[in-house]
Amino acid sequence: MNAKLSAFLLASLGVATQVPTNACTGITLHSKDGATIAARTIEWAESVMNNMYVVVPRNQELQSLTPTGMGGVKFKTKYGFVGLAVEQKEFMVEGINEKGLSAGLFYFPNYGKYQPYDAAQKDKCLADFQVVSYVLAGCSTVDEVKEALGKVCIINIDPRSSTVHWRFTEPSGRQIVLEIVDEVMHFYENPLGVLTNSPGIEWHWTNLNNYINLQPGSTPEHPFGPLEMKSLGHGTGLLGLPGDFTPPSRFVRAAFFQLTAAQQPTAEESTVQAFHLLNNFDIPTGTELPWGKAPADMPSATQFTVASDTHNRILYYRTMYNSNIRCINLRSIDFDKVKYHAHALDNLKKQPIETITIR
């Protein structure tokens, strides 16, 4: 395991280090044509990660890592899939398979607890950062996800690192969240479709009751004793909406922005809308590090944003270096012939700027 990956896995601990936490924000949109779009951000504020897209064919032999190296559960891909990985191709954080199942991991520090690694049972052990690949390799529905994960023991590669939780979305629009707490798997139906980080998802749902006063638009003008109170601008119904980057605040904002967004006619329009909504969760690098510690060569702590069209089997992404939306259409890939490979998300780490010629 390389040093940067080890630091990334340890990032959410915040114990004995000053490493910044990771802040993932996920939303889900449903277009009028019946498509479901699962979209999210992924953050890492300390340094530029080696981010890549990975293409995995059918019948590919894969194996999980363990704390002692390779030797975990072996599995062969029933379905081809494409996803985005960090540092090395095995560590896929978001992806979609040819059946339209979407899977993603989100950091879940201080609230989760996996079973301890047992070397005697290593052939049943699955690294948490390889759950996405394991699920996409063999599942087409969330019920199949539950069944498949019930056969393995999810572990940390490094016992000091944070736990994560996962979101799985099928083309029907059904979505579940998996959290492992006190060594027990808990699956939650997630009709809201929003996910961030700690605490657990049920806590976030309860916390939304604190914001029952929020509403779109503006508050009507009304007397305030002898004074006539008038709005200073649009959006007064949102006064009290939390604006910081903590997981609870991002959850509230994501839920509100998602619920008030107008439903789009098509999957592609909903995908573009998802990227617009997630603009609100781009995290400036300097906000997650002490004064003067932000790296000058990183445009954003939000390293990439990704959206999966589960109906049309298309993976969309943009990066901190290039705001243009790019896509990989799984229907154009022959998963019986394509090779297992990874490719950097950006060929050139520089935002393209178009010059408008005036005549």
Side-chain angles (χ1 to χ4, degrees), residues 162-192:
S162 168
T163 53
V164 299
H165 56 181
W166 298 264
R167 177 182 73 171
F168 307 104
T169 311
E170 64 181 40
S172 70
R174 185 182 173 196
Q175 182 179 108
I176 61 172
V177 169
L178 168 61
E179 296 177 346
I180 303 177
V181 178
D182 293 329
E183 303 180 15
V184 178
M185 287 186 180
H186 299 273
F187 289 97
Y188 301 94
E189 298 289 331
N190 188 21
L192 181 60

Side-chain angles (χ1 to χ4, degrees), residues 23-43:
C24 316
T25 302
I27 61 173
T28 310
L29 299 179
H30 306 281
S31 57
K32 292 180 180 178
D33 63 3
T36 296
I37 310 300
R40 54 88 59 87
T41 66
I42 189 163
E43 280 76 26

Side-chain angles (χ1 to χ4, degrees), residues 14 22-24 37 60 110 144 155 191 213 271 288 292 297 304 308 315:
N22 291 273
C24 316
I37 310 300
Q60 178 71 39
N110 303 319
E144 291 179 2
I155 61 166
N213 59 295
T271 299
E288 291 198 328
D297 61 342
F304 58 83
S308 294
L315 181 79

Side-chain angles (χ1 to χ4, degrees), residues 158-294:
D158 188 321
R160 300 170 297 165
S161 63
S162 168
T163 53
V164 299
H165 56 181
W166 298 264
R167 177 182 73 171
F168 307 104
T169 311
E170 64 181 40
S172 70
R174 185 182 173 196
Q175 182 179 108
I176 61 172
V177 169
L178 168 61
E179 296 177 346
I180 303 177
V181 178
D182 293 329
E183 303 180 15
V184 178
M185 287 186 180
H186 299 273
F187 289 97
Y188 301 94
E189 298 289 331
N190 188 21
L192 181 60
V194 173
L195 188 63
T196 56
N197 312 104
S198 299
I201 191 168
E202 288 189 311
W203 184 95
H204 286 292
W205 291 336
T206 301
N207 185 51
L208 288 176
N209 289 288
N210 290 316
Y211 300 92
I212 195 171
N213 59 295
L214 296 179
Q215 57 182 320
S218 298
T219 303
E221 297 177 355
H222 62 88
F224 194 79
L227 303 177
E228 185 68 24
M229 308 307 293
K230 296 183 179 181
S231 172
L232 298 178
H234 295 291
T236 52
L238 292 180
L239 286 172
L241 184 71
D244 61 82
F245 295 120
T246 62
S249 295
R250 286 185 287 105
F251 192 100
V252 173
R253 290 205 307 281
F256 190 84
F257 294 157
Q258 176 183 298
L259 290 171
T260 56
Q263 187 179 30
Q264 298 299 304
T266 68
E268 185 172 290
E269 289 168 298
S270 288
T271 299
V272 173
Q273 182 185 51
F275 280 101
H276 281 299
L277 294 177
L278 289 174
N279 282 338
N280 294 278
F281 301 91
D282 281 350
I283 299 179
T285 307
T287 63
E288 291 198 328
L289 292 162
W291 288 103
K293 299 295 184 181

Side-chain angles (χ1 to χ4, degrees), residues 68-111:
T68 56
M70 194 68 73
V73 61
K74 293 181 179 179
F75 55 101
K76 180 183 285 189
T77 59
K78 179 179 180 181
Y79 306 118
F81 58 96
V82 174
L84 304 189
V86 294
E87 285 306 301
Q88 57 190 65
K89 65 181 184 297
E90 290 83 5
F91 294 102
M92 190 174 290
V93 295
E94 186 75 23
I96 182 173
N97 69 14
E98 59 181 306
K99 290 296 183 179
L101 182 72
S102 166
L105 70 80
F106 293 67
Y107 266 93
F108 188 50
N110 303 319
Y111 283 82

